[in-house]
């Protein structure tokens, strides 16, 4: 069985701060991590490999330093890692990203399952999984919290807003998974040595390697453009209420009454 | 052919080969050779030849003519024939956009039997309701719905398409966008029309709400966005509104569905209905104790409010996840939002700053929550909330 795991390197957004003068992200000193839900996707692949045997390829697109997440995936147990890196890929929206990932998966060749995290914590779009599935013309199962691999097919439990459903899909299939699916394992020392060795099964592919044209990928291939970024503004006239708890309570009830809101009715 | 080499002028100097990032130009037998399959048409080689041997024309990107795409469309989500509350919010938002453009609001609703909902959608602001009924549409299936919505927009050519950023919408919209070649912006919290260009400005939070980004789709139609539920305002229903109802027949046999639904379990539990609540009493880290939850509940009961909380309260196990407000929880816009012991992380504020009045109670006078508060009370919620509860019960 062949499994492709899509991973993304993201800034740990708990650390993200905005420069108050420029409004830009301060990236210095911000730790880069594997997108948390992608670790669960990798774990799902490793679990299948443990039980049934599988060849796992970890795939990412990003700047040269994104090789770190590929090394981590290989150190954790992936058999092969591929980084798509090229200036031509920069500035991609989800349309252009799914084009590049889809072309790369076609070049990888045979696959039965593609796994990815539900969404990345920097963009929160949750679009890449379904867009790659559509690019490849295969079914998608999103919001997966449980899965079982059977002969030639997979069953998965998907979380709905008001419940859950169990779905059966044939191979090949793409799944986007939730953290509730499993508990990710850590890289092993042997794995880290393997991923750092010269013969590590890690490759870097550029646009020509996947047969992409410059106009299909990156900024040029994107269908959406960011026209402005800004820090959310807060504009309310704050009124401070002071005094003993009883007095503050009375003031607040009075203030809200003046706005036509009567508490307790 | 994009790159051509005049072998009579080429002296095999190799400048073009060195200029190519992709090894698509090689020197063979002292002449340059273009390898089409390696060429990305990036144009890096065009200026490299000093002898005029290499010429080429790179494709450029043009904005197509979209003048026949018009109207603002909403995909209406329904479950078992009941409309999802997001439908009315999205129609309310679409109404404003359509009025700015001088165009109409159209809605698309699919299901086994949904025609009866059309009048309700019109009362809430739709001018036109496109209905597709088929037993196969009773239950949401990715590829079936993608096929039907795709065929509908192919026929009608909307200028804008809005889909709720629910689990269903976030499964459907990217699949549809990829199939139809549409730019797609996820989870928008603000939509408006650019007054000059007349295109849709799609604003959404990124990096966990630390940054807002405004995004446009210049190269495809309809301009498609998913919209975060709980943010946009529904219009008051107007029984005098009229509109057109169109029933479309589609050939469902053309659609390929891969998956089987084995089982669907809907939870019957009483959900915290934060979206519909007029008053919300929300607690942060300090309420993470039995006593804390009790104080919160007593006050909420006294004012007839729903109880909500921040992420940490859910993570610590004091309230179930459906009570969580914020970036990863629900977005709410009640009349009054009591933020009790909530510091005001940007992720939390993203889910509640549309509330009409915000009351913040916090011991820390520098807590960021005071920045969005209408009424600020620096103090201990364990003193303030019981005092409020007593005052309200006493009056």
């Amino acid at each position: 069985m062949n499994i492709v795991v899509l991973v993304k390197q993201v800034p740990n957004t708990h650390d993200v701060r905005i420069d108050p003068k420029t409004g830009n992200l301060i990236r210095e000193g911000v730790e880069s991590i594997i997108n948390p839900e992608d670790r669960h996707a990798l774990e799902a692949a490793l679990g299948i490999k443990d039980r049934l045997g599988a060849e796992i390829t970890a795939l990412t697109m990003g700047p040269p330093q994104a090789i770190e997440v590929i090394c981590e995936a290989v150190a954790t147990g992936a058999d092969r890692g591929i980084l798509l890196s090229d200036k031509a890929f920069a500035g991609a929206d989800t349309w252009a990203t799914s084009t590049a990932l889809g072309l790369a998966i076609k070049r990888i060749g045979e696959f039965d399952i593609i796994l990815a995290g539900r969404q990345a914590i920097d963009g929160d779009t949750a679009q890449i999984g379904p867009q790659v599935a559509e690019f490849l013309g295969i079914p998608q199962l999103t919001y997966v919290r449980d899965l079982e691999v059977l002969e030639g097919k997979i069953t998965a439990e998907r979380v709905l807003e008001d419940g859950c459903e169990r779905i059966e899909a044939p191979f090949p299939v793409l799944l986007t998974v939730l953290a509730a699916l499993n508990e990710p394992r850590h890289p092993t020392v042997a794995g880290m040595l393997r991923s750092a060795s010269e013969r590590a099964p890690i490759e870097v592919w550029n646009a020509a390697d996947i047969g992409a044209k410059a106009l299909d990928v990156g900024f040029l291939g994107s269908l959406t453009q960011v026209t402005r970024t800004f820090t959310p503004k807060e504009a309310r006239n704050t009124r401070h209420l002071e005094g003993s708890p009883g007095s503050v309570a009375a003031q607040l009830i009075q203030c809200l009454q003046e706005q036509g809101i009567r508490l307790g009715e | 052919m994009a790159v051509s080499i005049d072998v009579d002028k080429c002296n095999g100097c190799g400048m073009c080969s060195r200029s190519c990032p992709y090894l698509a130009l090689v020197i063979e037998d002292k002449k340059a050779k273009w390898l089409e399959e390696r060429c990305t048409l990036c144009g890096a080689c065009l200026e490299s030849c000093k002898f005029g041997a290499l010429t080429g024309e790179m494709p450029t990107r043009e904005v197509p003519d979209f003048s026949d795409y018009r109207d603002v469309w909403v995909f209406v989500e329904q479950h078992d024939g009941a409309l999802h509350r997001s439908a009315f919010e999205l129609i309310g938002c679409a109404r404003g956009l359509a009025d700015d453009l001088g165009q109409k609001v159209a809605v698309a609703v699919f299901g086994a039997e949904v025609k009866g909902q059309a009048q309700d959608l019109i009362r809430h602001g739709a001018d036109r309701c496109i209905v597709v009924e088929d037993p196969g549409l009773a239950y949401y299936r990715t590829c079936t719905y993608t096929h039907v919505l795709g065929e509908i927009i192919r026929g009608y050519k909307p200028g804008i398409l809005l889909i709720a950023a629910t689990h269903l919408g976030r499964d459907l919209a990217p699949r549809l966008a990829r199939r139809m070649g549409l730019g797609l912006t996820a989870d928008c919290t603000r939509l408006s029309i650019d007054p000059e260009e007349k295109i849709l400005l799609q604003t959404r939070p990124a990096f966990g709400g630390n940054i807002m980004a405004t995004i446009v789709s210049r190269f495809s139609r309809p301009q498609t966005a998913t919209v975060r539920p709980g943010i946009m305002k529904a219009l008051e229903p107007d029984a005098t509104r009229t509109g057109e109802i169109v029933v479309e027949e589609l050939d469902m046999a053309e659609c390929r569905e891969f998956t089987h639904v084995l089982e669907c379990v809907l939870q019957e539990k009483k959900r915290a209905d934060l979206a519909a609540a007029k008053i919300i009493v929300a607690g942060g880290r300090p309420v993470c104790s039995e006593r804390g939850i009790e104080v919160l509940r007593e006050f909420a009961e006294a004012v007839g409010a729903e109880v909500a909380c921040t992420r940490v309260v859910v993570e610590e196990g004091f309230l179930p996840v459906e009570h969580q407000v914020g970036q990863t929880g629900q977005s709410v816009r009640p009349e009054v939002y009591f933020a009790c012991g909530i510091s005001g992380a940007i992720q939390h504020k993203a889910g509640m700053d549309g509330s009409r009045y915000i009351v913040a109670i916090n011991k820390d006078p520098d807590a960021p929550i005071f920045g969005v508060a209408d009424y600020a009370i620096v103090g201990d919620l364990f003193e303030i909330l019981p005092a409020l509860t007593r005052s309200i019960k006493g009056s």
Side-chain angles (χ1 to χ4, degrees):
Chain A
M1 180 171 318
N2 292 295
I3 305 176
V4 177
V5 182
L6 303 179
V7 294
K8 185 180 186 186
Q9 188 177 48
V10 294
N12 192 343
T13 53
H14 295 297
D15 289 349
V16 169
R17 294 284 174 275
I18 308 296
D19 184 329
K21 280 189 195 130
T22 62
N24 291 331
L25 278 183
I26 301 172
R27 287 179 185 268
E28 288 82 47
V30 175
E31 182 195 16
S32 285
I33 54 172
I34 287 196
N35 179 53
E37 286 176 342
D38 299 351
R39 295 179 66 222
H40 296 273
L42 177 61
E43 177 58 40
L46 293 168
I48 295 167
K49 183 181 171 183
D50 290 346
R51 285 193 306 279
L52 306 166
E55 174 93 4
I56 300 172
T57 304
L59 173 66
T60 194
M61 182 175 100
Q65 66 266 27
I67 196 81
E68 291 165 9
V69 296
I70 291 299
C71 290
E72 191 176 332
V74 168
T76 313
D79 299 285
R80 183 184 182 198
I82 295 161
L83 165 65
L84 303 182
S85 197
D86 190 324
K87 281 198 179 101
F89 295 144
D93 70 353
T94 63
W95 168 269
T97 304
S98 59
T99 302
L101 292 172
L103 288 170
I105 292 167
K106 283 188 173 173
R107 171 149 178 224
I108 289 169
E110 293 282 303
F111 60 89
D112 302 290
I113 303 173
I114 302 172
L115 284 155
R118 171 192 46 163
Q119 63 189 35
I121 57 171
D122 53 352
D124 292 324
T125 73
Q127 287 175 186
I128 290 298
Q131 289 185 326
V132 169
E134 173 65 21
F135 183 94
L136 296 169
I138 63 171
Q140 72 193 44
L141 301 173
T142 53
Y143 294 92
V144 170
R145 73 161 173 217
D146 193 23
L147 65 88
E148 192 181 354
V149 175
L150 304 164
E151 191 61 39
K153 63 186 182 187
I154 198 161
T155 65
E157 191 169 292
R158 296 185 62 230
V159 175
L160 309 174
E161 296 206 333
D162 51 359
C164 65
E165 63 179 14
R166 270 197 331 119
I167 300 256
E168 183 183 282
F171 292 143
V173 60
L174 182 145
L175 300 97
T176 73
V177 308
L178 303 174
L181 179 64
N182 53 38
E183 196 56 50
R185 68 192 72 179
H186 292 287
T188 60
V189 174
M192 281 190 267
L193 290 173
R194 180 163 161 266
S195 74
S197 83
E198 262 179 47
R199 283 166 312 177
I202 292 172
E203 294 162 63
V204 180
W205 291 355
N206 64 23
D209 294 329
I210 59 170
K213 301 297 170 205
L215 276 185
D216 297 333
V217 293
F219 180 78
L220 290 175
S222 295
L223 294 176
T224 60
Q225 277 79 36
V226 176
T227 57
R228 189 166 87 97
T229 56
F230 56 99
T231 316
K233 273 243 167 49
E234 300 153 355
R236 286 184 193 250
N237 292 324
T238 308
R239 187 161 157 193
H240 286 266
L241 308 179
E242 288 161 4
S244 67
S247 146
V248 167
Q251 287 176 57
L252 181 64
I253 291 165
Q254 176 71 29
C255 285
L256 288 172
Q257 258 176 22
E258 283 165 14
Q259 306 300 337
I261 293 166
R262 302 176 79 87
L263 295 177
E265 283 180 12
Chain B
M1 184 180 281
V3 174
S4 58
I5 289 153
D6 184 337
V7 285
D8 294 334
K9 290 182 183 170
C10 177
N11 67 359
C13 73
M15 287 299 283
C16 59
S17 175
R18 283 191 288 279
S19 74
C20 176
Y22 301 109
L23 312 174
L25 286 159
V26 292
I27 306 297
E28 273 179 15
D29 298 333
K30 298 185 178 170
K31 296 290 177 191
K33 188 180 171 200
W34 178 56
L35 306 175
E36 187 174 2
E37 69 283 0
R38 291 280 319 167
C39 179
T40 72
L41 306 177
C42 71
C45 58
L46 288 181
E47 305 291 317
S48 66
C49 185
K50 303 287 176 265
F51 307 96
L54 186 149
T55 51
E57 210 169 316
M58 297 303 154
T60 52
R61 201 162 176 221
E62 277 161 32
V63 177
D65 175 19
F66 292 127
S67 52
D68 52 341
Y69 286 78
R70 53 188 295 115
D71 296 342
V72 183
W73 279 57
V74 172
F75 168 76
V76 170
E77 185 172 335
Q78 59 83 24
H79 297 270
D80 267 343
L83 302 180
H84 192 270
R85 64 182 164 84
S86 63
F88 301 124
E89 297 170 10
L90 265 58
I91 293 170
C93 170
R95 185 75 260 164
L97 299 172
D99 290 347
D100 283 353
L101 288 166
Q103 297 180 1
K104 288 184 171 161
V105 173
V107 299
V109 57
F110 313 151
E113 222 173 288
V114 287
K115 202 177 157 200
Q117 307 286 359
Q119 277 307 334
D120 202 18
L121 295 164
I122 289 166
R123 279 196 291 271
H124 279 85
D127 298 309
R128 206 175 192 197
C129 187
I130 312 302
V131 178
V132 183
E133 289 187 334
D134 189 280
L137 295 168
Y139 193 80
Y140 172 73
R141 313 288 305 282
T142 307
C143 290
T144 309
Y145 268 58
T146 304
H147 171 76
V148 174
L149 186 53
E151 289 305 307
I152 292 289
I153 65 174
R154 204 192 300 280
Y156 282 89
K157 297 185 189 304
I160 292 172
L161 173 63
L162 307 181
I163 299 173
T166 55
H167 283 208
L168 187 160
R170 284 156 63 98
D171 188 79
L172 170 66
R175 186 96 196 185
L176 176 81
R178 183 74 230 187
R179 183 168 301 178
M180 306 299 290
L182 310 175
L184 174 64
T185 305
D187 229 4
C188 294
T189 55
R190 200 181 309 158
L191 294 165
S192 61
I193 301 295
D194 183 90
E196 270 134 44
E197 246 186 295
K198 300 291 178 196
I199 55 172
L200 182 66
L201 302 177
Q202 309 157 38
T203 300
R204 67 179 305 264
F207 290 96
N210 284 286
I211 272 201
M212 302 294 288
T214 301
I215 292 165
V216 297
S217 298
R218 288 208 173 85
F219 297 95
S220 59
R221 291 293 180 278
Q223 303 161 79
T224 307
T226 63
V227 183
R228 176 168 263 247
I231 300 272
M232 303 300 174
K233 260 200 163 136
L235 301 174
E236 286 297 320
D238 176 354
T240 66
R241 278 191 61 92
T242 54
E244 183 191 357
I245 300 169
V246 185
V247 178
E248 283 287 339
E249 306 282 345
L250 283 186
D251 185 1
M252 300 293 289
E254 283 176 22
C255 143
R256 179 170 175 213
E257 184 58 70
F258 302 83
T259 60
H260 263 350
V261 179
L262 301 175
E263 187 185 10
C264 177
V265 185
L266 296 184
Q267 284 158 357
E268 276 299 324
K269 66 180 180 210
K270 164 148 173 33
R271 291 173 57 93
D273 197 3
L274 298 182
K278 291 264 183 255
I279 303 178
I280 289 176
V281 175
R285 184 180 293 278
V287 306
C288 286
S289 65
E290 269 179 40
R291 173 80 190 122
I293 298 295
E294 194 182 312
V295 165
L296 211 59
R297 282 202 194 282
E298 278 172 2
F299 175 56
E301 212 166 282
V303 295
E306 291 284 348
V307 170
C309 63
T310 60
R311 184 174 176 158
V312 66
V313 182
V314 172
E315 281 173 356
E316 296 286 322
F318 286 94
L319 282 172
V321 67
E322 58 265 26
H323 291 268
Q324 185 185 328
V325 166
Q327 183 81 16
T328 49
Q330 294 192 54
S331 294
V332 297
R333 47 183 320 144
E335 288 288 298
V336 189
Y337 189 92
F338 288 89
C340 311
I342 292 174
S343 63
I346 195 115
Q347 287 86 344
H348 185 75
K349 287 194 288 192
M352 50 66 85
D353 61 5
S355 306
R356 187 156 168 229
Y357 296 106
I358 294 172
V359 180
I361 303 167
N362 203 301
K363 273 201 225 174
D364 173 9
D366 298 322
I369 192 71
F370 289 126
V372 294
D374 298 283
Y375 302 103
I377 300 170
V378 179
D380 186 350
L381 72 95
F382 287 93
E383 292 172 4
I384 308 286
L385 287 187
L388 273 166
T389 307
R390 278 194 302 275
S391 304
I392 287 156
K393 280 189 175 159
S395 62

